[in-house]
Amino acid sequence: MHTIELGRVSVTRIPHFGNGPLPPAEFFPGTDPDLWQTNRTWLVPHHWDEDADRVQVKVRTWLLHSAGRTIVIDTGLAAGTVHPGGVPLTASLTAAGVTPADIDLVICTHLHADHVGGNTSLHDNGEWTPAFPHARYLFSRPDLDFFDPHTLTEEPGRSAAVYEQSIAPILRSGQAQIWDDSYTIDENLRLTLAPGHTPGHGVLTLESDGDRAVFAGDLLHSPVQVLAPEVSSCFCHDPVGAARTRASTLAWAADHKALVIPAHFGGAGAVEIERDGSRFAVRRWTGFPDT
């Protein structure tokens, strides 16, 4: 486990697994192949397997300690569906010195399966129950409406089974905190809607003692999108909206010298960016060692 301090907030990177699901042309429809080749010296190997022509991504959770509370951002896949070689979230948290009972708050940036699967645990009686018995779980109202199984159309990323396993038990337990537009967590942390990838996708902004970071969820899957914010992933429900939100988030990060910490970047996973004329560029990877 690796931890950095940002002001009065500690941030620990919790790994699950990594893979190379798709080639760039499929992962990012409309991507320019020359963009990958031009930047291959730093995209390979953590962000692009050039030989196999596969985008490399990680599934990660972020563990925060802020204002006396222990906070989890996104919970990965359900324990029974952990990728081969992956580690269940509860086991990783234990390795970081945290038990499920220690978690005060679970932030779900959005409700895709790889961000909510660890919300619950499957008991011997076949029931899914909250994995963190004392935690409040933050769900955005637009995503709850979008993924509601009563109105849901099954398609990649939208599954009634995921809702029933990972969302409904939290609602039934009374542990859900439903928010819309924005939500202030404490003096260091604030959630804001950043729609596009999903209608209720949120980003978490950290500002503490002069340090800033934005936990960007799935606004970005690859650092290529820093260079080309107009390129959305094939998993975005509103690619145009996602591109618009991504550009505004990157602009804020560049102007405020904030770390950008997406959910799925390989390598260090945390990057500083800067303006490059009307575009953006990677300034440096920071905080965590490459993995």
Side-chain angles (χ1 to χ4, degrees):
M1 303 296 166
H2 300 281
T3 300
I4 62 173
E5 303 293 330
L6 296 174
R8 287 164 283 126
V9 182
S10 71
V11 180
T12 301
R13 186 178 65 186
I14 304 291
H16 294 288
F17 66 88
N19 66 354
L22 293 169
E26 293 182 33
F27 205 127
F28 302 105
T31 188
D32 182 356
D34 289 342
L35 189 63
W36 295 79
Q37 286 295 335
T38 300
N39 295 282
R40 64 173 302 279
T41 56
W42 61 270
L43 288 173
V44 176
H46 296 297
H47 313 288
W48 181 34
D49 181 341
E50 184 181 18
D51 293 335
D53 193 30
R54 290 290 188 273
V55 177
Q56 296 296 296
V57 295
K58 299 284 188 179
V59 174
R60 289 172 169 154
T61 286
W62 301 93
L63 173 67
L64 277 58
H65 293 279
S66 176
R69 290 196 288 182
T70 302
I71 301 168
V72 162
I73 304 175
D74 293 331
T75 62
L77 289 169
T81 55
V82 169
H83 193 273
V87 180
L89 176 58
T90 52
S92 295
L93 289 174
T94 298
V98 175
T99 71
D102 294 330
I103 303 302
D104 299 298
L105 190 67
V106 176
I107 299 169
C108 298
T109 59
H110 61 294
L111 303 187
H112 280 157
D114 58 329
H115 294 259
V116 300
N119 284 357
T120 56
S121 300
L122 182 61
H123 281 212
D124 292 339
N125 63 4
E127 291 187 4
W128 294 89
T129 59
F132 306 104
H134 306 308
R136 300 290 287 174
Y137 290 70
L138 288 173
F139 300 145
S140 76
R141 170 57 66 190
D143 257 20
L144 280 178
D145 292 343
F146 185 63
F147 288 92
D148 188 323
H150 295 99
T151 57
L152 175 147
T153 301
E154 292 275 347
E155 60 184 52
R158 300 178 75 186
S159 167
V162 170
Y163 190 99
E164 183 57 32
Q165 293 175 6
S166 303
I167 306 302
I170 309 303
L171 298 173
R172 288 194 294 266
S173 73
Q175 291 175 240
Q177 177 71 53
I178 301 170
W179 66 282
D180 202 347
D181 189 35
S182 65
Y183 183 85
T184 298
I185 294 170
D186 59 34
E187 63 265 32
N188 306 310
L189 304 172
R190 182 178 177 84
L191 265 173
T192 307
L193 282 181
H197 184 67
T198 67
H201 186 284
V203 298
L204 179 73
T205 302
L206 182 159
E207 296 188 75
S208 180
D209 289 350
D211 288 335
R212 296 182 178 89
V214 55
F215 293 84
D218 279 10
L219 278 187
L220 303 101
H221 286 83
S222 167
V224 162
Q225 293 174 284
V226 173
L227 311 181
E230 68 276 10
V231 175
S232 292
S233 81
C234 63
F235 303 106
C236 291
H237 293 280
D238 176 6
V240 174
R244 183 169 53 248
T245 302
R246 183 164 42 255
S248 63
T249 301
L250 292 174
W252 184 89
D255 292 343
H256 290 84
K257 296 181 173 59
L259 279 180
V260 177
I261 309 177
H264 296 300
F265 274 16
V271 63
E272 290 182 3
I273 67 169
E274 61 188 0
R275 289 188 179 271
D276 182 14
S278 62
R279 311 287 286 181
F280 303 101
V282 172
R283 180 171 178 266
R284 69 184 179 105
W285 296 90
T286 186
F288 299 94
D290 287 341
T291 58

